[in-house]
Amino acid sequence: MQNKGLVKFFAILFALVSIYQLSFTFVANKVKSDAKTFAGGNPEKEIKYLDSIGKEKVFLDFFTYNDVKDKQINKGLDLEGGINVILQISVKDVLKQLSNNSKNPVFNKALEDATANQKGNQSYLDAFFEAFDANKGTTKLASPDIFANRNFDDQELNFNSTDDQVKKVLRRKVDESVESAFGVLRSRIDKFGVTQPNIAKLGQTGRILIELPGAKDVDRIKKLVSSKAELEFWETFKAEELGGFLQQANETLKATVKTTEKTEAVKAEDSLTKLLTDKSSDSATAKKGNNPLFDKFVSIGGGPILAIVNTKDTAAVSGYLKRPEIRSMLPGDKRFAKFVWGKPTSVTDEKTKKETETVELYALKGNKDDAAPLSGGVIVDARDTFDQMGKPAVSMQMNGAGSKEWEKLTGNAYTQKSFIAIALDNVVYSAPGVTSGPIAGGRSEITGSFNVAETKDLANVLRAGKLPATAEIIQSEIVGPSLGQKAIDAGMTSSIVGFLLVCLWMVFYYGRAGWYANVALLVNLLFLFGILASLGAVLTLPGIAGIVLTLGTAVDANIIIYERAKEELRDGKSLADAVKTSYGWKGAMRSIIDANVTHVLTGAILFIFGTGPIQGFATTLLIGIFTSLFTSIFIARMFIDKDIANNRSLMFSTNLTKNWFTGFHFDFIGIKKISYVFSTLVVIVSCVSFYFNGLDEGVDFVGGRTFQVKFEKPVEATQVSEELTAAFGVTVEAKVFGDDDQLKVTTKYKIKEDGVEVDKEVNELLFNALKKYYNNITYDNFINTYDGKQVGVLQASKVGAAISADIKTNSFWAVIGAMLVVGLYLVISFRKWQYSLGAIAAVLHDVIFVLGLYSLLYKYMPFHMEMDQHFIAAILTVIGYSMNDTVIVFDRVREFLAGNIKGSFKDVVNASINTTLSRTINTSLTMILVLLIMFIFGGESIRGFIFAMLVGIVVGTYSSLFIATPILVDSVSKKDIEEIESRHKGEQA
């Protein structure tokens, strides 16, 4: 090997850099361990401790903890625990705002059609343009009642702008809105108080990924990230001003609404009650059972509060008040009244101990533009504080213009003895009166039924500003820290056992040369982790799987080189010449490059089309390919060259294995009809199973919610499924997940509806249906995550309908693209389309085989066999390895066809397969060993993923030998065969 000194220099340099990069991870883990010890299990105390030492030097008397934290290998949610959400910024909202809430029917129909017909991987904006163009007629986007309005200046958009010009401007405006939302969310998250938060835009999709490792309060965080934070100040009507209207509405509703409430006296507390009862000549009017509207009131309010209503009845009351015939009863000066709800409050009955949640009904003094007199845009600062009664509150400071408007507003309220409602996202947080005259200076305070965490979050979102449009959670994942620790333990176990097995096999089969390969493997792992650390990569459970797979592939290049060296030694060459040939381009190097290029191509496609953990898997796989190539080719070679220099014998085998897999003369081409028949039957059975059984499509592909629920003792999955189905009103599937006391619950309940309220409703339905299986568990302990959690929801995920369509589309094109790209590479590399045809046919056979097996067995296997992103990652990995095996055989076929091997075309091809059999079996065996270990120890969550790869490797090995090569032979023209055989005349040597 030339330039050995340079190779040694770079190897030592890379090793030192890797150790240096990894040292930050070790130091960061040590500091976090100290923080846990100091906090004694209190997560808030732990975070405060880490924040307090952020600027203290903790490494080499130079790097602060913040520096170290930024340079460490971060653990993904499946290892660390925490919350991950993908937000979709509502482009529909942005378009409405840009159009000044246009009433144009063509525009609004296009918005609705875009919502209904948006295709997988199609942006909402493109869907809107498509729908508008299909129905526009003579209407232009630049019509005065659509986009040619005051939101745009004449230079960027005017009445004469073409639709194409408007589309260009709208794309820019939507991008600006997403960028604005990204900034607002980043500001909110940075102040939330979790370690190492991550927020990133997902390409040009209008989606934003937020990862909060270690976060535990599920409902609070979802509300924080999705709240639009539109703060408004409104004058309110007083209860007595609308008493007559409510009475009249109730009387009108009697004719159309039937009530079934039990008779129960309405609690009379104030002037509004007197007003109502005075107007009724029938005492039964004040009793439940005869009053559609009043029957929904828990009690009558007073001041700015019209009534108090149970949360479950708010939809019905809102529906009544929105009816046209009811709104028409409003007096002329109140025709723009805007009915809104307050912040929910929980009340516990002291006698029954029953807890109920109620909200207050308000009527705001609206106007024809539905615009508040004062909005939150005037807020320049907000702080969480405590009011005069010592209760949590939020103090705000307004700018100059806001201060003047606030003084005017409070002056009117003081004069009229009225109230000012402070509303955030159309929820009234408080509605104080003004008792001391107009408030100058622009400082005000929001009070209400807050806890400390809520005031912190409210102050946070007010400082960060409002989102430019609604942000809906379209995908989320919650992982408990105890589950993350189990994943780490499983990953470590599978890694260590897999590493030891590969090392033992290499030493057993190749002797001292195997030790050299093992040293190269250790160096490879050091380089791999060093690069991950330097890139700031996030390590996930699939990422660990990628590292463990690297253990199997890292020795692949060594196996190819060693097998070639053994062939050269058998031909009588010296050790030096055998090593030189085996490391040459005409020896093993061409096969190694071809095989690894196919790996890189499939890994790159996996990285491009995958998201989250799948990208982590692809990242480690791609890095592992390059590091293993370097260490296999150069590190092991240094030890081999040292043996040559010292005249030390090296046989690349042991006495026991030196003749293994030699002398094979199996007629692979002769039995091609049998293999064709067998594989055809497999394809037919698979297709029949696809038709009748289908595939177990996971929520990634169809949308839905899944919960991993741990019970206190074993439960019957069928019974739980029936109970949950009754509670949700739609089919809910419950399957055993690992142990008998753990279920995986899946439901599509309201998956097409977005919003924090829907997510909370699902959580509450699940809790109420399952709480009978626990002893005194609370909602918070059941849903939220915390250190040491052993029962309740350990993991939860949601995939919205829109993103599931994108995932399905991406998955389809990832598989098709991988096959086409690798096929194209083979055409370029081998310069004959027949090689590409054989390889693609074999890969297609493998994919159908694995899919068919999953279709046939998913109902019967004791582990989950779902079609999800992890499964697609497994399929793409199988494509890479199948191509790898096929390329090794094809390289030998090409070599032998260009050489002097004697015999017929069939004989030359058979010799090619037989002489590579040792390499094929060795590589496949090391991979199967590693995958088996991962299947056994890797954990329930990736068992189906590993099983797909395990089956794929076995089938891929079969197809390389019995499908790819026979198809290559059958596709070569008769003329080419005659030309080949004329060059290989005589009996086979």
Side-chain angles (χ1 to χ4, degrees):
M1 180 174 64
Q2 296 179 341
N3 299 318
K4 282 192 285 187
L6 190 62
V7 171
K8 285 182 180 179
F9 170 76
F10 277 113
I12 293 171
L13 180 64
F14 288 158
L16 291 174
V17 170
S18 296
I19 292 170
Y20 169 75
Q21 291 290 349
L22 287 172
S23 63
F24 291 102
T25 301
F26 293 126
V27 173
N29 287 338
K30 173 66 169 60
V31 174
K32 283 189 281 189
S33 177
D34 292 343
K36 280 186 179 294
T37 303
F38 172 80
N42 185 327
E44 290 186 5
K45 193 174 180 182
E46 180 182 336
I47 291 171
K48 287 181 179 178
Y49 175 86
L50 292 174
D51 286 342
S52 68
I53 63 167
K55 296 181 180 180
E56 290 185 16
K57 294 177 181 178
V58 295
F59 183 45
L60 299 177
D61 200 29
F62 181 79
F63 295 102
T64 66
Y65 173 67
N66 287 337
D67 296 330
V68 170
K69 182 178 65 175
D70 291 339
K71 293 176 181 291
Q72 69 171 335
I73 297 179
N74 297 318
K75 294 194 288 286
L77 294 186
D78 51 0
L79 300 179
E80 178 81 4
I83 297 174
N84 164 328
V85 297
I86 293 179
L87 295 169
Q88 175 75 64
I89 302 302
S90 176
V91 177
K92 183 177 181 179
D93 278 4
V94 175
L95 293 176
K96 282 185 174 181
Q97 290 172 16
L98 292 174
S99 73
N100 272 344
N101 291 311
S102 171
K103 300 296 189 293
N104 184 288
V106 175
F107 170 75
N108 283 287
K109 186 176 188 308
L111 291 177
E112 297 308 316
D113 288 350
T115 303
N117 303 324
Q118 186 178 0
K119 304 180 186 72
N121 261 9
Q122 183 185 37
S123 72
Y124 181 88
L125 192 58
D126 286 334
F128 166 75
F129 291 153
E130 188 178 286
F132 186 86
D133 290 341
N135 299 289
K136 67 180 182 179
T138 59
T139 306
K140 293 176 57 180
L141 287 171
S143 298
D145 61 342
I146 305 181
F147 291 116
N149 59 50
R150 62 190 179 193
N151 284 324
F152 302 92
D153 59 48
D154 289 341
Q155 291 183 350
E156 62 180 353
L157 195 158
N158 55 53
F159 305 142
N160 299 319
S161 299
T162 65
D163 280 357
D164 286 340
Q165 289 172 331
V166 176
K167 288 176 182 179
K168 186 176 180 181
V169 173
L170 291 179
R171 289 188 191 280
R172 177 168 55 79
K173 289 290 186 180
V174 168
D175 288 343
E176 288 173 358
S177 295
V178 174
E179 189 67 39
S180 173
F182 180 76
V184 170
L185 288 168
R186 181 168 54 191
S187 180
R188 290 185 190 178
I189 295 305
D190 286 344
K191 295 177 176 68
F192 184 71
V194 295
T195 57
Q196 299 168 294
N198 175 47
I199 177 169
K201 288 184 294 183
L202 300 180
Q204 301 298 314
T205 62
R207 293 171 182 162
I208 297 173
L209 168 70
I210 296 175
E211 293 177 316
L212 303 174
K216 299 173 176 65
D217 193 332
V218 177
D219 292 333
R220 177 188 171 198
I221 289 168
K222 285 186 175 182
K223 183 178 179 181
L224 172 76
V225 298
S226 64
S227 170
K228 191 176 179 182
E230 190 159 15
L231 185 68
E232 295 174 328
F233 301 88
W234 296 84
E235 291 182 88
T236 71
F237 290 108
K238 288 178 277 191
E240 57 266 26
E241 291 180 277
L242 288 174
F245 162 72
L246 293 176
Q247 176 70 28
Q248 193 176 357
N250 183 66
E251 292 298 324
T252 302
L253 288 168
K254 286 181 181 181
T256 56
V257 179
K258 292 183 179 180
T259 59
T260 57
E261 300 285 349
K262 293 180 180 179
T263 300
E264 180 182 333
V266 178
K267 187 177 180 182
E269 290 182 342
D270 54 26
S271 58
L272 180 57
T273 305
K274 295 175 183 176
L275 176 65
L276 296 180
T277 53
D278 286 346
K279 287 197 174 187
S280 174
S281 59
D282 183 358
S283 62
T285 304
K287 295 181 179 179
K288 289 197 173 182
N290 301 310
N291 303 284
L293 181 60
F294 296 151
D295 285 349
K296 300 295 183 184
F297 292 177
V298 174
S299 65
I300 301 301
I305 302 169
L306 302 186
I308 297 173
V309 181
N310 276 323
T311 304
K312 64 182 179 65
D313 293 326
T314 54
V317 173
S318 294
Y320 294 155
L321 296 176
K322 286 179 181 177
R323 289 188 178 190
E325 70 272 22
I326 300 300
R327 286 202 65 87
S328 66
M329 297 174 187
L330 284 164
D333 62 338
K334 300 178 180 64
R335 68 184 184 278
F336 295 119
K338 181 176 180 178
F339 295 100
V340 296
W341 299 102
K343 182 176 175 289
T345 303
S346 293
V347 179
T348 303
D349 190 301
E350 295 183 1
K351 293 181 179 179
T352 62
K353 301 300 181 184
K354 184 179 179 181
E355 185 175 337
T356 57
E357 189 176 68
T358 61
V359 289
E360 297 163 343
L361 178 64
Y362 296 86
L364 309 181
K365 292 184 178 180
N367 48 61
K368 63 179 181 179
D369 296 325
D370 194 30
L374 189 62
S375 71
V378 301
I379 303 297
V380 293
D381 191 25
R383 291 283 182 267
D384 55 295
T385 182
F386 294 91
D387 63 16
Q388 293 178 347
M389 305 297 292
K391 294 181 179 180
V394 175
S395 173
M396 302 177 298
Q397 177 62 53
M398 301 177 185
N399 60 22
S403 298
K404 290 180 181 178
E405 187 62 36
W406 180 242
E407 186 173 359
K408 178 182 175 182
L409 197 63
T410 53
N412 289 339
Y414 173 72
T415 302
Q416 300 169 12
K417 304 301 180 185
S418 61
F419 303 85
I420 298 175
I422 302 173
L424 183 70
D425 293 340
N426 279 327
V427 174
V428 174
Y429 277 73
S430 64
V434 180
T435 58
S436 56
I439 301 174
R443 180 164 292 280
S444 58
E445 192 173 72
I446 303 177
T447 59
S449 55
F450 296 112
N451 58 39
V452 173
E454 287 173 330
T455 55
K456 287 183 181 294
D457 290 347
L458 181 56
N460 181 2
V461 297
L462 292 179
R463 284 196 303 272
K466 74 172 186 176
L467 291 174
T470 305
E472 302 291 1
I473 297 174
I474 58 172
Q475 184 173 347
S476 64
E477 184 175 11
I478 299 102
V479 182
S482 57
L483 201 61
Q485 188 57 49
K486 286 183 180 178
I488 294 173
D489 295 341
M492 289 296 295
T493 301
S494 59
S495 300
I496 293 169
V497 175
F499 175 77
L500 291 176
L501 277 177
V502 170
C503 290
L504 287 171
W505 174 257
M506 292 299 290
V507 172
F508 169 77
Y509 195 85
Y510 292 107
R512 192 166 69 254
W515 282 111
Y516 300 159
N518 291 342
V519 172
L521 183 59
L522 275 172
V523 176
N524 171 55
L525 288 176
L526 176 62
F527 288 173
L528 174 58
F529 278 104
I531 292 173
L532 287 174
S534 63
L535 293 176
V538 177
L539 191 61
T540 63
L541 190 55
I544 291 178
I547 292 170
V548 177
L549 280 174
T550 300
L551 301 178
T553 57
V555 296
D556 184 40
N558 286 120
I559 290 173
I560 298 172
I561 293 167
Y562 290 178
E563 290 301 322
R564 186 57 184 243
K566 285 199 290 186
E567 290 176 14
E568 300 299 327
L569 288 174
R570 291 191 197 103
D571 288 343
K573 288 187 178 179
S574 65
L575 177 61
D577 289 339
V579 169
K580 184 177 180 180
T581 302
S582 62
Y583 275 93
W585 181 252
K586 292 184 178 180
M589 209 52 57
R590 189 170 189 172
S591 298
I592 290 171
I593 296 302
D594 280 337
N596 280 280
V597 166
T598 60
H599 265 162
V600 169
L601 289 174
T602 52
I605 288 172
L606 192 59
F607 182 84
I608 293 168
F609 287 97
T611 57
I614 303 306
Q615 281 191 330
F617 173 76
T619 301
T620 54
L621 206 59
L622 286 169
I623 295 172
I625 290 169
F626 290 106
T627 56
S628 61
L629 272 175
F630 177 83
T631 55
S632 299
I633 294 171
F634 295 109
I635 301 300
R637 177 75 183 271
M638 288 192 295
F639 292 99
I640 293 171
D641 284 348
K642 190 173 182 180
D643 280 354
I644 294 172
N646 294 333
N647 292 319
R648 195 175 180 185
S649 174
L650 186 66
M651 300 304 296
F652 299 98
S653 63
T654 63
N655 291 330
L656 181 63
T657 62
K658 63 181 180 181
N659 294 318
W660 283 19
F661 308 118
T662 59
F664 272 99
H665 298 289
F666 188 77
D667 188 1
F668 288 92
I669 306 303
I671 65 163
K672 65 181 180 180
K673 290 183 179 179
I674 297 174
S675 59
Y676 282 169
V677 169
F678 170 74
S679 292
T680 301
L681 285 174
V682 167
V683 171
I684 291 172
V685 170
S686 296
C687 291
V688 170
S689 182
F690 296 154
Y691 182 80
F692 288 103
N693 284 340
L695 288 156
D696 186 14
E697 291 188 283
V699 295
D700 282 357
F701 284 179
V702 296
R705 293 176 171 85
T706 61
F707 300 88
Q708 185 176 330
V709 185
K710 185 81 169 177
F711 294 83
E712 293 175 349
K713 57 185 179 181
V715 293
E716 179 57 49
T718 306
Q719 180 182 337
V720 172
S721 179
E722 291 173 354
E723 292 171 351
L724 290 173
T725 297
F728 280 83
V730 297
T731 301
V732 179
E733 186 182 73
K735 292 181 179 178
V736 174
F737 192 75
D739 299 327
D740 290 341
D741 61 352
Q742 185 167 258
L743 298 181
K744 186 174 186 179
V745 176
T746 305
T747 178
K748 295 180 185 176
Y749 179 76
K750 290 190 176 181
I751 195 59
K752 292 186 178 180
E753 297 182 29
D754 294 315
V756 176
E757 296 78 11
V758 177
D759 292 343
K760 188 172 182 181
E761 179 190 349
V762 173
N763 289 342
E764 288 174 343
L765 283 171
L766 184 71
F767 169 68
N768 290 328
L770 298 181
K771 64 183 179 181
K772 68 179 183 179
Y773 291 99
Y774 300 88
N775 290 319
N776 300 321
I777 193 170
T778 64
Y779 170 82
D780 286 340
N781 286 340
F782 179 78
I783 293 294
N784 293 328
T785 67
Y786 53 87
D787 292 329
K789 182 173 184 177
Q790 297 299 323
V791 295
V793 176
L794 301 183
Q795 182 173 7
S797 64
K798 167 193 170 183
V799 179
I803 200 168
S804 67
D806 291 357
I807 291 171
K808 184 179 285 190
T809 302
N810 282 342
S811 299
F812 173 79
W813 286 113
V815 173
I816 298 299
M819 289 193 286
L820 292 179
V821 167
V822 174
L824 179 63
Y825 171 76
L826 293 182
V827 170
I828 296 170
S829 178
F830 287 86
R831 295 189 175 87
K832 285 187 180 293
W833 61 267
Q834 290 90 343
Y835 288 98
S836 185
L837 176 65
I840 289 178
V843 166
L844 188 61
H845 162 274
D846 299 342
V847 171
I848 292 174
F849 195 111
V850 176
L851 287 171
L853 197 65
Y854 267 59
S855 177
L856 287 166
L857 300 180
Y858 77 84
K859 295 179 181 178
Y860 310 106
M861 282 293 194
F863 53 88
H864 287 259
M865 301 178 74
E866 290 181 346
M867 287 277 291
D868 56 14
Q869 290 188 83
H870 293 81
F871 180 82
I872 297 301
I875 290 293
L876 288 172
T877 307
V878 166
I879 289 173
Y881 284 107
S882 180
M883 287 287 188
N884 191 325
D885 279 342
T886 303
V887 163
I888 296 300
V889 175
F890 281 2
D891 266 321
R892 185 55 60 92
V893 170
R894 176 173 55 185
E895 179 188 342
F896 278 12
L897 289 177
N900 299 316
I901 296 289
K902 302 299 181 183
S904 66
F905 177 57
K906 172 185 165 184
D907 293 334
V908 174
V909 173
N910 268 326
S912 303
I913 301 173
N914 280 293
T915 54
T916 57
L917 202 57
S918 177
R919 178 265 164 198
T920 300
I921 292 175
N922 262 302
T923 300
S924 297
L925 187 60
T926 53
M927 285 304 307
I928 289 168
L929 280 173
V930 169
L931 288 169
L932 273 174
I933 294 303
M934 291 174 65
F935 182 77
I936 295 168
F937 298 108
E940 185 68 31
S941 60
I942 62 169
R943 195 154 284 147
F945 164 65
I946 298 300
F947 184 74
M949 284 197 284
L950 192 56
V951 172
I953 297 299
V954 175
V955 176
T957 304
Y958 158 80
S959 66
S960 299
L961 302 176
F962 295 97
I963 301 296
T965 315
I967 287 177
L968 167 66
V969 171
D970 288 344
S971 59
V972 174
S973 67
K974 186 176 181 181
K975 181 182 177 182
D976 286 342
I977 292 175
E978 289 174 353
E979 189 274 327
I980 290 168
E981 291 187 338
S982 68
R983 290 188 287 105
H984 294 268
K985 288 181 179 179
E987 298 298 322
Q988 183 177 0

